[in-house]
Amino acid sequence: MEYTLKALCALIPEGQLSGYTDATLCGIASLEGAQLGDLSFLSNLKYKKHLALSKASVVLIPKAFEADPLPNQAYLQVPNPSLALAKVCADIERTLTPAHRPGIHPSAIVAPSAVVDPSAYVGPLCVIEAQAKIAADAVLQSHVFIGQGAQIGSRSWLFSGVRVLERCCVGSDVRIHSNAVIGSDGYGYEFHEGKYLKLPQIGNVIIEDWVEIGANTTIDRGRFGATHIQEGTKIDNLVQIAHNVVIGKNCLIVAQAGIAGSTHLEDYVVVGGQAGIAGHLNIGQGSQIGAQSGLNHNLDPKSFVRGTPALPFMAAHRIDILKQRLPDLFKRVERLEK
Amino acid sequence: MEYTLKALCALIPEGQLSGYTDATLCGIASLEGAQLGDLSFLSNLKYKKHLALSKASVVLIPKAFEADPLPNQAYLQVPNPSLALAKVCADIERTLTPAHRPGIHPSAIVAPSAVVDPSAYVGPLCVIEAQAKIAADAVLQSHVFIGQGAQIGSRSWLFSGVRVLERCCVGSDVRIHSNAVIGSDGYGYEFHEGKYLKLPQIGNVIIEDWVEIGANTTIDRGRFGATHIQEGTKIDNLVQIAHNVVIGKNCLIVAQAGIAGSTHLEDYVVVGGQAGIAGHLNIGQGSQIGAQSGLNHNLDPKSFVRGTPALPFMAAHRIDILKQRLPDLFKRVERLEK
Amino acid sequence: MEYTLKALCALIPEGQLSGYTDATLCGIASLEGAQLGDLSFLSNLKYKKHLALSKASVVLIPKAFEADPLPNQAYLQVPNPSLALAKVCADIERTLTPAHRPGIHPSAIVAPSAVVDPSAYVGPLCVIEAQAKIAADAVLQSHVFIGQGAQIGSRSWLFSGVRVLERCCVGSDVRIHSNAVIGSDGYGYEFHEGKYLKLPQIGNVIIEDWVEIGANTTIDRGRFGATHIQEGTKIDNLVQIAHNVVIGKNCLIVAQAGIAGSTHLEDYVVVGGQAGIAGHLNIGQGSQIGAQSGLNHNLDPKSFVRGTPALPFMAAHRIDILKQRLPDLFKRVERLEK
């Protein structure tokens, strides 16, 4: 990367510049790690102590924040430094990863009845089965499998090794990372005469627009009906979403979390990393479930729980502290008994 | 789907029909979600309150259960509604996913010394290495890798991206979901002069008949000897099975559980989601290990444990309740001390 | 396998032989499982009770350990039985898996601007994008994807389905197991006007020499800058490493563990299975974090913690025991109150 300060300001027209205005930028770094020539940013005020010592040539700082740049340093005041930085990163990204030329790589295997928009890119060694549809400007990087009758929306980006199995529907502007599996069978058996008989899983998965799905995440198809991920929800790596789960709009599901069958998350729910949610529950809008929690009951809207079994945040916190004082408590009771 | 009630009854000859007998079915739904024209079912009596209000045109109900259908509604009494529904779903599945024509897709790479039964289907871009064997009616969907000398039994179904590495053996009627890895190296090192030296992992994985393995699950090969999954066991997504583990017949291992090296599960063991079992243990027949448990000791047959560290179910439950009363207990002790 | 005792001793020249010296070996087994003709070993003295009863024809035993072989049995005393066995296994491995002939399989898709050393093996259906570099003697088994500008060092071995995305760098003598993903996007969003806006992730992943990475593990690229795995670190299956994490030299990260963004592990840290480490932490050199722990604070060097929230090992152990005595404690307090 190489940006003059002028080019940088053109990307961030909302910014207000102060200090030394002749820098050329050739890297991005944290306040602590930055060297001369780097762009940095102060987003979380927790790190403001690093600002005065930072060697960065240009720092994006919040509008309300008052401070003076060092000599040879510039500050660019913006409403949201993290978003301003994102604009710069997006610009760099366009240089790093040139747009794919539309078309189907000759090594891809596309069924005659599949429909691929001419503006889509189907990379090397992809497989698109019968009746599947790939919409405009979609990108399938390589080794992607699109099962029979599955659909991929406009501008969606599927990285190498993604599997979208039979009849699953992926919306527009979706991003699915490598080796994620959409539409594996739900885990359903009936115990009968000493054996587990498989319950056929004939539903599908519906993923709405602007969803992101992490690498090696698995989303099972519905037993009948759909497993449903609604608009704007972001799912991290190695997450398990079981059959017939419904996840509302703009939820966050952090890495290695698991959600059991038929549970419904309303909009704006946040599930921490490695948390587990039992099946057939309803999680109210805006609830937050802490990392590694184990939740086996419904939650009212805006609940904030953690722990196993999950408790309201403050109660869980208090119990964690008292647990550490158990050795003392046992001694005190002993003393009382004497 | 479209079934006349007569066609439905033909699939479920054990059923006893009552009520309105002229429906045509065009969907399957839960009691609550069903609309006119839907088939529904009452399996878990916990949901019986939804029966009387259900708009389903036909409901599968348990034989012993007494209730009267609404006008324009039929009940079909069966010994096991969930199994009866499974028959219908299996019939629909046959329509949705037509059988693969046998043969090797021209884009697949099959070593000259590999043996593929003429009735098997080897889908696009599969790779079958030297001396591997694919038995009758096996299905390899796409992008499947079968390593040197590995074997796949009759009617087994391997979804897109499955990896069965060198010398691993998969039985008949096995189902392995996308991107599962069978036969990765066990995690074994010897600390020597400040570094971890790798212990070669030269064993294999043996998977018996009727096993199902979830998407992105990993099963490591034995250090020497085999990692062994016995008949009828069902493994969910994102499960980790370490080297030299032996899992008995008809076990259930729910999503994201992990079993460390050389542990032996006897038959009919159930391991809940996200549970972890330490290495070199023996878990007695029919034991159940709750979700998110951490188990580091042997279990007698029919043990029922949960928690970290895992305790007998009732003890764990009692402690969970008392933990929540700790704030009160601390106050009571304080009061006593005064 | 078939080894005369003489051939075995040639592999382990440091060994001192006693007992019956005319055996031929045709298998490897644990002391308990061994039959006539098997090689076995006593590494962990915990299992020494099995030695006297073992039917193994030859047993590798520690130098200091005094015992007499049965008739028809030989002992081979070595400084480290596990390492001596590893030598034998490595020798067997060479027979089982013959070296790949160098060259690019005709079905692989290699961009004209990619550079593949003539001694490297690029297996069937691999994809190597523009400007990527594959060094001498590297092995890409099958279905491997190497993104634009990515680099793979000498003698590194990438199993079937590995994805090394754009600009990521893999060192020499690295081993990456099937379906692992190196360089997926970090999980970073900014909440803005009711939606999560994606923060572009334009950094990369740097993996140093002698690292091993398990099957289906995911390592996210840095937001800017690198996610960095240093020399000799061994990562198990299904592990999540978030963006900008730095893992020092010779660390062990056991299966299904997760490390959140920007956390730094110093050298020789051990993270147990299913453990979770929060973001932006520093974990001091040589620290050990027990299985299933949840850690959300920095650790001094040589800390040994476990539990959620993680506590020093002995404190956590004591609290686990006292927790089990809570029912008794409640009764005692009740008695005191009367």
Side-chain angles (χ1 to χ4, degrees), chain A residues 105-158:
Chain A
H105 192 277
S107 65
I109 312 286
V110 179
S113 62
V115 178
V116 178
D117 188 279
S119 66
Y121 171 74
V122 176
L125 304 173
C126 291
V127 171
I128 301 178
E129 298 269 59
Q131 286 106 40
K133 280 185 194 161
I134 313 293
D137 298 307
V139 172
L140 281 56
Q141 191 179 44
S142 88
H143 301 102
V144 170
F145 176 79
I146 307 294
Q148 192 188 307
Q151 302 189 13
I152 308 297
S154 306
R155 294 172 303 281
S156 286
W157 191 295
L158 278 57

Side-chain angles (χ1 to χ4, degrees), chain A residues 141 143 175 234 237 268 337, chain C residues 125 166 187 194 220 332:
Chain A
Q141 191 179 44
H143 301 102
R175 211 170 155 88
K234 313 296 185 186
N237 298 340
Y268 293 108
E337 288 172 330
Chain C
L125 304 173
E166 290 73 16
Y187 188 73
D220 285 344
R332 285 160 64 188

Side-chain angles (χ1 to χ4, degrees), chain B residues 4-337:
Chain B
T4 62
L5 189 45
K6 200 178 148 188
L8 187 78
C9 291
L11 288 174
I12 309 169
E14 72 275 26
Q16 226 168 336
L17 191 66
S18 62
Y20 179 76
T21 59
D22 207 24
T24 299
L25 297 163
C26 53
I28 301 178
S30 65
L31 288 170
E32 267 181 297
Q35 299 299 321
L36 192 75
D38 280 341
L39 170 67
S40 192
F41 72 119
L42 174 66
S43 179
N44 189 334
L45 291 184
K46 194 166 90 178
Y47 299 113
K48 70 180 173 188
K49 61 178 175 193
H50 299 310
L51 180 63
L53 298 165
S54 182
K55 294 177 189 154
S57 290
V58 180
V59 184
L60 300 162
I61 64 168
K63 220 166 185 171
F65 192 79
E66 303 222 350
D68 292 317
L70 299 176
N72 295 321
Q73 196 176 48
Y75 282 176
L76 194 55
Q77 281 190 309
V78 291
N80 183 329
S82 190
L83 280 185
L85 185 74
K87 284 184 191 180
V88 182
C89 290
D91 194 64
I92 297 170
E93 199 173 35
R94 275 186 289 272
T95 329
L96 289 171
T97 315
H100 288 279
R101 270 178 291 182
I104 297 171
H105 192 278
S107 66
I109 311 286
V110 180
S113 62
V115 179
V116 178
D117 188 279
S119 66
Y121 170 74
V122 176
L125 304 173
C126 291
V127 171
I128 302 179
E129 298 269 58
Q131 285 106 42
K133 281 185 194 163
I134 313 294
D137 298 306
V139 172
L140 280 59
Q141 192 178 45
S142 90
H143 301 101
V144 170
F145 175 78
I146 307 294
Q148 191 189 307
Q151 301 190 11
I152 308 297
S154 305
R155 295 172 303 280
S156 285
W157 191 296
L158 276 58
F159 285 84
S160 184
V162 165
R163 318 294 170 195
V164 177
L165 297 165
E166 291 74 14
R167 301 184 309 283
C168 294
C169 294
V170 172
S172 299
D173 299 292
V174 167
R175 211 170 156 88
I176 308 183
H177 290 279
S178 280
N179 291 349
V181 177
I182 313 299
S184 36
D185 277 2
Y187 188 73
Y189 305 93
E190 184 78 21
F191 193 68
H192 184 70
E193 298 179 352
K195 291 177 185 177
Y196 290 99
L197 301 184
K198 182 174 177 68
L199 301 175
Q201 305 287 313
I202 61 172
N204 70 343
V205 177
I206 298 172
I207 293 172
E208 295 188 1
D209 300 348
W210 294 104
V211 166
E212 185 154 3
I213 293 171
N216 279 330
T217 278
T218 56
I219 304 183
D220 285 343
R221 63 177 63 241
R223 178 176 174 188
F224 44 84
T227 303
H228 191 174
I229 316 292
Q230 293 174 9
E231 197 177 307
T233 280
K234 312 297 186 186
I235 299 176
D236 202 346
N237 298 341
L238 292 167
V239 168
Q240 153 70 354
I241 310 283
H243 50 178
N244 297 98
V245 163
V246 176
I247 300 186
K249 292 187 208 304
N250 301 306
C251 292
L252 298 179
I253 318 286
V254 181
Q256 298 176 315
I259 303 177
S262 300
T263 279
H264 178 197
L265 273 61
E266 297 181 0
D267 299 345
Y268 293 109
V269 168
V270 177
V271 180
Q274 299 183 333
I277 304 182
H280 296 274
L281 300 180
N282 193 80
I283 310 301
Q285 183 172 328
S287 289
Q288 303 200 8
I289 297 152
Q292 291 190 327
S293 298
L295 177 63
N296 59 9
H297 55 268
N298 293 332
L299 288 186
D300 289 333
K302 303 205 176 172
S303 299
F304 191 4
V305 300
R306 72 171 180 79
T308 305
L311 295 173
F313 186 82
M314 283 312 298
H317 185 65
R318 206 170 160 198
I319 288 165
D320 277 344
I321 288 172
L322 294 181
K323 244 173 48 184
Q324 294 176 42
R325 289 169 47 196
L326 274 181
D328 175 56
L329 187 69
F330 272 82
K331 273 187 214 142
R332 286 159 65 188
V333 170
E334 226 164 283
R335 225 176 290 136
L336 284 167
E337 288 171 331

